[in-house]
Amino acid sequence: MSIAIVLSLSTTVLAQSERYVQVGTDSDGDAYLLDTKNMGKADPPFGQVIKLYQTKNDLMLEHLLNAGCGDERLWIAGMRVYGRNGVKLSEKKSGQEIPARGDSPGATAMKYYCHSIGARGW
């Protein structure tokens, strides 16, 4: 299971792998890693998502984003929190729109995704 793998490896190792690309950090310096293998795949009940992973205080956070490359819109679809053992502790849906351009981790992930699928303008 990729969740257990993410938890068992340091973010430095993940950032260097081909599957995970670092797209930013938070104010504490904790990395946001984009899962490039599963970009745009369906993840019920969130729809087609871009997944960003972040480890924080022995927890792993999975941020799920919905990207609209054609109309340059980006939404936070939800978030999951996993414990050290890879067990899901919580899940929350959202629908908050966030800026699709800029240097935030979400905007950087969207740029990577839209470019990878050949979306016009990216």
Side-chain angles (χ1 to χ4, degrees):
M1 173 179 232
S2 65
I3 300 304
I5 293 169
V6 170
L7 288 172
S8 67
L9 299 174
S10 73
T11 56
T12 303
V13 172
L14 287 174
Q16 294 174 358
S17 75
E18 290 182 21
R19 179 174 177 173
Y20 297 96
V21 174
Q22 184 172 336
V23 292
T25 58
D26 66 12
S27 59
D28 296 326
D30 296 317
Y32 287 90
L33 301 174
L34 170 65
D35 179 352
T36 63
K37 183 177 179 184
N38 293 306
M39 292 186 306
K41 292 188 179 176
D43 187 340
F46 300 101
Q48 291 182 310
V49 296
I50 300 170
K51 294 180 181 181
L52 299 180
Y53 293 101
Q54 182 181 39
T55 55
K56 198 155 200 72
N57 301 326
D58 289 332
L59 298 174
M60 196 212 39
L61 311 175
E62 179 182 47
H63 304 273
L64 300 114
L65 306 174
N66 296 124
C69 296
D71 56 3
E72 295 186 22
R73 296 180 75 187
L74 180 64
W75 296 267
I76 299 171
M79 185 170 134
R80 293 182 180 125
V81 177
Y82 296 89
R84 176 180 287 212
N85 57 0
V87 173
K88 181 171 58 172
L89 302 175
S90 67
E91 177 176 284
K92 179 181 176 185
K93 273 189 93 171
S94 180
Q96 178 183 356
E97 188 167 357
I98 58 175
R101 296 282 185 167
D103 61 357
S104 71
T108 302
M110 181 172 176
K111 179 180 178 181
Y112 187 98
Y113 169 69
C114 293
H115 180 73
S116 74
I117 63 169
R120 190 167 44 157
W122 292 89

